[in-house]
Amino acid sequence: MAGLFGSKKKILINAVANVFNQSAKALEEVWDFGEYREMFAGEQLSMEADFSVGNGVQIGMDVSRNGDVSGVLMDVGYYGSSLFQADIYTDKEEILIGAPALTDTVFYVDRTNLEEDMEWFIEEYELDDEIAGILKSYNEGSRMDSEFYEEMGKATGKLTGAFMEMYDEMKVEKAESKNLMVDGEGRSCKGYTLTISGEQIQRLLDVLVETYESNEVFRLYVDNLFIAGFGYTSRAELLEYFDPAVLLSDLADDIGENREEVVITFHVYRNNLARLAAEFWDGISVEWNIYGGNFPLENTKLTITDGYETNEYIRTGSQEGDLYKAEYQMDYDGGEIEFCLEYDREKGDLEYGINVGYGLYTLDYLMQGEIEKTVPGSELTLRIDTFEMNGTEFLAGDITFSDEVGEIAKPEGEKRNIMRMTQGDWYGILMEIAGNLYSFGQ
């Protein structure tokens, strides 16, 4: 019997993997940017952008990255005259910001002593808890960036081990077949149920909590997901309302006490997942229908119910010759987001639109342009013919990516630690900027 269960588990794992692997391969062929993979993943990358914005405003930007060193040069002009220039340099130790037309001062942030400097800044300016929380979140995010891959690898390894332990104990049984729409036709799909006991879920959540509490980078990553998902302004504000570790621990305790199990039903057609449905506790349910097309995820619908409301995520697509089309629709909490994309692989023509609606409030964005492989594997150009909002154009221009990077120089001038400047320091610099702006207007 164990062998039979093992074979059924393998069917389910392969069915889910095939859906993602086949879809990823198909999309790779549509976009055909494989030759640029090394360029974007390499140590060196540069981006040069030139935009026209509104009436007469031009923005030029050069962004370079060489290992841990990055630089940004920006120039804002009006009808051909330069109004503002900025020079930004970052490495592991510091961030430098210069604006030579406005001031001789080069502002810097000491990344090696940022936490102590930030505490001084918060106390000096008597910042309220909300603003202080936002600043600390930026500091935490900066620290997380430098350690992200190593620490997240440790966390992922620990969680993967716990999941595989749970996977070995899962019970898989046959279920009724179901007639489902796949690749445009009704298909008879084989059914399977996978049962996860409350004890198994509890053990997995315990590992998740332990990882959250012991791995700072993973903790910051999870907190940032909560901040973005629920609209908090900072980690401090998030933790005022709830602690993810406590939330997960309480959930594990509830599941352990009630011994609730989760039953997930899979339907498979020709080694590909066609449908997944699961009932959880407190009225939470998930249903994922994979309708297929040119590839499994070309047409799909995900429905999530949290016990109070139902949210839907729908993708529809098609491919005719070199023309690829995709549309995404998300319905949530009374609002709706639609994203439409068209790409001509042969010509490089690209068009996408976004519609955001909430009640009577609507925003429409439209971008039309072209992707040109100016130097295959080494240089890629995106030409934006128009970028419109609610029918009004506000941007047009070109963005070129390249693996050629010149010297990334530091801004020149008198360095001042921006986190250690008093109000008097700022007043003196603002007077200098005002004088330079006055001279520019003469």
Side-chain angles (χ1 to χ4, degrees), residues 87-269:
D87 185 357
I88 303 172
Y89 171 95
T90 66
D91 59 25
K92 284 186 174 182
E93 284 75 38
E94 61 184 354
I95 300 173
L96 302 174
I97 305 171
L102 300 180
T103 175
D104 293 330
T105 299
V106 173
F107 304 101
Y108 84 95
V109 175
D110 184 353
R111 302 182 78 173
T112 63
N113 199 45
L114 185 55
E115 193 165 336
E116 185 179 327
D117 288 349
M118 190 169 291
E119 291 295 341
W120 182 93
F121 187 85
I122 291 168
E123 183 177 346
E124 173 73 13
Y125 290 93
E126 299 179 349
L127 300 181
D128 61 37
D129 292 341
E130 182 175 343
I131 300 299
I134 293 172
L135 286 175
K136 289 180 178 179
S137 291
Y138 284 132
N139 180 27
E140 290 161 350
S142 175
R143 286 160 52 206
M144 185 177 72
D145 287 344
S146 62
E147 307 169 2
F148 183 83
Y149 293 106
E150 181 180 352
E151 293 301 313
M152 282 297 288
K154 295 177 183 178
T156 302
K158 185 177 291 188
L159 293 172
T160 299
F163 177 80
M164 292 308 298
E165 182 179 324
M166 185 177 73
Y167 168 79
D168 289 338
E169 300 175 0
M170 289 177 183
K171 183 174 70 174
V172 179
E173 297 176 321
K174 276 196 171 185
E176 289 186 13
S177 296
K178 201 175 187 72
N179 192 273
L180 299 170
M181 187 64 66
V182 179
D183 297 337
E185 296 184 24
R187 313 282 190 178
S188 178
C189 301
K190 295 179 180 178
Y192 302 88
T193 59
L194 183 151
T195 303
I196 309 173
S197 71
E199 183 182 355
Q200 292 167 350
I201 298 172
Q202 185 182 33
R203 290 204 305 266
L204 180 65
L205 289 173
D206 285 341
V207 174
L208 182 60
V209 171
E210 193 278 327
T211 305
Y212 176 88
E213 292 179 332
S214 64
N215 187 310
E216 184 181 8
V217 169
F218 181 72
R219 181 166 65 253
L220 293 174
Y221 177 74
V222 172
D223 289 350
N224 284 332
L225 290 179
F226 277 107
I227 291 168
F230 294 99
Y232 293 107
T233 58
S234 67
R235 186 165 176 260
E237 184 186 8
L238 165 72
L239 297 177
E240 278 183 19
Y241 292 92
F242 70 91
D243 184 336
V246 173
L247 182 71
L248 292 169
S249 294
D250 290 345
L251 180 59
D253 291 341
D254 289 343
I255 293 171
E257 289 175 7
N258 299 324
R259 296 298 179 191
E260 296 185 59
E261 62 181 22
V262 174
V263 178
I264 306 174
T265 303
F266 296 81
H267 283 91
V268 176
Y269 176 73

Side-chain angles (χ1 to χ4, degrees), residues 50 57 62 66 89 112 354 418:
D50 290 293
V57 177
D62 290 323
N66 191 348
Y89 171 95
T112 63
I354 303 175
I418 197 171

